Amino acid sequence: MNETKKRIIEAAIALFTEKGFHGTSIQEIAAHAGISKGAFYLHFKSKDALQVEIFRYYTSLIQEEMENAVEPALSAKDNFLRQTEVQISQIQRHTDFIAMVVRDQAYSLNPELIRFIEELRVSQAEWYREQLTSMYGQAIRPFIHDISVITEGIKNNYMQQFISNPQALYPKALAELIVRMTGQAAEEFLAGTYRPLLDDETVRTLFSFFAEGEEETDAAGVIDGMRTILSGLALPRATAQYLSSSLDFLGTQADAGPSADVTAIRGVLAIFRPYPEFGDCLRRLEEKFGTDTLN
């Protein structure tokens, strides 16, 4: 991530926390980041797109730290403890981000962010599957969904209690409590004391929105990749703005689904042909939209 994009994200976090997502304008974000409004649009097509990138930015920081916490020589339980402590410490370090989420819950109005949140939930479920299977073997698999919900509930509720005074929280102590409670839940399920309430089919139903939006997300991801490429090209300002507007149009067509204007899309994709940096992205979008501009 380039320095300007990082400054925009950090400026937005500060302003969203203070004024709320809807109460903050793009002009204010740009001014706080020390850039022009035009420079903002070279990096993000909208405030909604910035919001998604903020979530990606912070979750990637947490995931990277958790991966680095794994020590192969340790037991699965000890590594689960280490990763849980790192996760809590990272959240504690970025309470401004948590405050923004709690303040607005604005993702409910942003379909792209809803899809990203669902994607994170799927990824989180896979992480719990790996951790619990490593600790308890294949016998734990029917209970993984329930145990992960219990574990996340404990962690999230404790984090909310400390959000106004994060320094009062001791990550190691909370991580030890979570691991202990996770172990108790696993033992109770394995002993047959409780029956699971969640199975794979139920979870698939709950994630149906994510599954239905997967094709659209693919196209949107390609377009976001083109924006990243565009931001790194040395182009005249007018040209960069024209290409950015063209990507905005492609984004609306991706949202349109079967009613997308294929003829117009073909013309817009052709605008990017003189720039070889976009070649792979153009081919992927042609597959998505059923167009042919490269021949």
Side-chain angles (χ1 to χ4, degrees):
M1 179 181 296
N2 64 49
E3 189 60 33
T4 300
K5 195 170 187 178
K6 185 176 180 181
R7 288 210 317 271
I8 294 171
I9 288 174
E10 292 176 347
I13 282 288
L15 290 170
F16 290 167
T17 302
E18 177 186 353
K19 305 178 65 175
F21 177 79
H22 298 292
T24 302
S25 69
I26 289 176
Q27 181 61 59
E28 289 174 315
I29 296 170
H32 199 81
I35 61 172
S36 67
K37 191 173 180 179
F40 174 93
Y41 283 111
L42 288 177
H43 292 84
F44 301 100
K45 66 180 180 181
S46 65
K47 195 166 65 171
D48 281 347
L50 169 60
Q51 186 187 39
V52 175
E53 191 63 28
I54 288 172
F55 272 73
R56 292 188 187 280
Y57 174 69
Y58 276 105
T59 54
S60 66
L61 287 179
I62 294 173
Q63 289 170 350
E64 182 179 359
E65 288 293 325
M66 289 175 65
E67 290 171 3
N68 292 337
V70 175
E71 175 53 63
L74 296 178
S75 68
K77 182 177 180 180
D78 286 340
N79 275 318
F80 179 54
L81 173 62
R82 285 168 62 90
Q83 288 186 290
T84 301
E85 182 180 351
V86 165
Q87 185 183 40
I88 293 169
S89 297
Q90 281 287 339
I91 295 173
Q92 180 188 43
R93 196 173 302 146
H94 300 293
T95 50
D96 49 356
F97 171 64
I98 305 300
M100 184 203 77
V101 175
V102 172
R103 177 189 176 103
D104 271 335
Q105 293 291 310
Y107 64 82
S108 61
L109 304 177
N110 186 341
E112 186 179 353
L113 188 52
I114 291 173
R115 287 191 292 272
F116 177 66
I117 296 298
E118 295 303 326
E119 182 180 350
L120 277 181
R121 289 176 180 169
V122 172
S123 176
Q124 182 184 71
E126 287 301 314
W127 181 77
Y128 272 110
R129 187 185 304 276
E130 292 176 3
Q131 300 301 313
L132 292 170
T133 302
S134 296
M135 288 188 287
Y136 300 101
Q138 294 298 318
I140 201 67
R141 291 180 70 86
F143 316 112
I144 286 175
H145 296 304
D146 290 83
I147 296 171
S148 65
V149 168
I150 292 169
T151 302
E152 281 297 298
I154 294 171
K155 181 184 66 184
N156 291 339
N157 276 282
Y158 268 104
M159 295 304 299
Q160 288 177 18
Q161 297 301 316
F162 285 96
I163 195 168
S164 61
N165 185 17
Q167 300 311 312
L169 172 65
Y170 294 95
K172 184 174 179 62
L174 178 54
E176 290 174 344
L177 174 63
I178 288 172
V179 171
R180 187 163 59 252
M181 297 300 291
T182 299
Q184 290 179 6
E187 291 168 5
E188 295 284 357
F189 277 113
L190 288 170
T193 306
Y194 301 113
R195 295 171 59 87
L197 301 179
L198 296 171
D199 56 23
D200 288 342
E201 182 59 34
T202 302
V203 172
R204 274 194 294 270
T205 301
L206 294 174
F207 289 155
S208 61
F209 178 91
F210 172 70
E212 291 169 0
E214 186 173 359
E215 184 177 356
E216 178 183 344
T217 302
D218 288 343
V222 175
I223 294 169
D224 285 343
M226 293 177 72
R227 291 187 184 282
T228 301
I229 294 171
L230 177 59
S231 68
L233 297 180
L235 297 173
R237 181 176 179 181
T239 302
Q241 290 178 337
Y242 177 57
L243 294 178
S244 181
S245 297
S246 299
L247 291 175
D248 287 344
F249 172 79
L250 291 175
T252 63
Q253 293 303 303
D255 292 338
S259 63
D261 187 337
V262 176
T263 302
I265 292 169
R266 184 179 295 115
V268 172
L269 291 179
I271 295 171
F272 292 89
R273 289 183 63 184
Y275 307 97
E277 294 87 352
F278 296 108
D280 288 341
C281 293
L282 291 178
R283 279 186 282 274
R284 292 176 63 189
L285 287 179
E286 285 175 346
E287 293 176 1
K288 160 66 180 175
F289 291 119
T291 60
D292 184 6
T293 65
L294 296 181
N295 296 323

